Amino acid sequence: MINLVLFGPPGAGKGTQAERLVEKYNLVHLSTGDIFRRNIKAGTELGVLAKSYMNDGNLVPDEVTIQMLESEVNSHPQAKGFIFDGFPRTQKQAEALDAFLASKDMAITAMLALNVDDDELTARLLNRAKTSGRPDDADPSIIANRIVVYKKETAPVANFYEGQNKLHVVDGVGSIDDISQRLFQAVDNYGK
Ligand code: ADP
C-alpha cells in the first residue's frame, strides 16, 4: 500500500499532480479543499461552516477537518492506497492522521513537497481565478493571507515528516510533465 501526502503552498500544483499520481499508482485521491467545495455547493451544514473560513483564506478548524478526512478514508475500505492533497495542514492534523492510520495498520509512505516561490504562486492563483470561480483565488489580499497562513501553520508540517525520514522536496517549477516525472521518481525510490 502506498499512502502519499502531497504538500505545498496554495497554487503549487497539488491538484494537477495528484491526478497524475492517482493514475499511475491507482490511489484514492482525497483533496480536503475539493471535499469542502462540494459541501459548499450542496449547501450542507459542513459546507456552510467551511465557507466562512475558506472565503477569507483561513483554515477550517482541525476537529471538523480531521473528522471529515477520517470518514472519507473509512468509506474506501478497498483502496490500494491514498493520496492526501491539502491534508494535513497543521501539526495537530498530522498527529491525528498518524494515529488514525496506525489504528488501521496503515502509515504514510512519503510526503512529496512541491517547492514554488511566492511570486510564481500569486501569479498562478490570479490566473486560475479567471476559470476556477473560486472567491479565494480572485482577491490578492486573500491570496496573501493564504500564503501567510501556509507559512505559519502548514509549512512546519514538513518537519514532522522530515523527522520520520519521509520528506521528499521536489522542484514545482517547470512543465507539468517534468514535475510529474520528478514525483514518480521519488515515489519509486520509496518503493525500493
Ligand atoms: P489551495 O491549496 O490552493 O489553497 P485547497 O483547495 O487545498 O486550495 O484549499 C482551499 C481552502 O480549503 C483552504 O484555504 C482552507 O480554507 C480549506 N482547507 C482545505 N484543506 C484544509 C485543511 N486540511 N485544514 C483546514 N482547512 C482546509
Side-chain angles (χ1 to χ4, degrees), residues 8-11 14 31-34 36-37 50 53-55 57-62 65 85-90 93 125 128 134 136-137 146:
K14 298 186 292 288
S31 157
T32 42
D34 286 351
F36 285 135
R37 279 186 290 276
Y53 294 93
M54 289 170 77
N55 282 359
N58 293 320
L59 296 182
V60 178
D62 282 335
T65 308
D85 164 6
F87 186 96
R89 246 176 163 99
T90 63
Q93 291 179 14
L125 291 171
R128 185 169 78 183
R134 281 176 54 171
D136 60 340
D137 282 350
R146 286 159 67 195

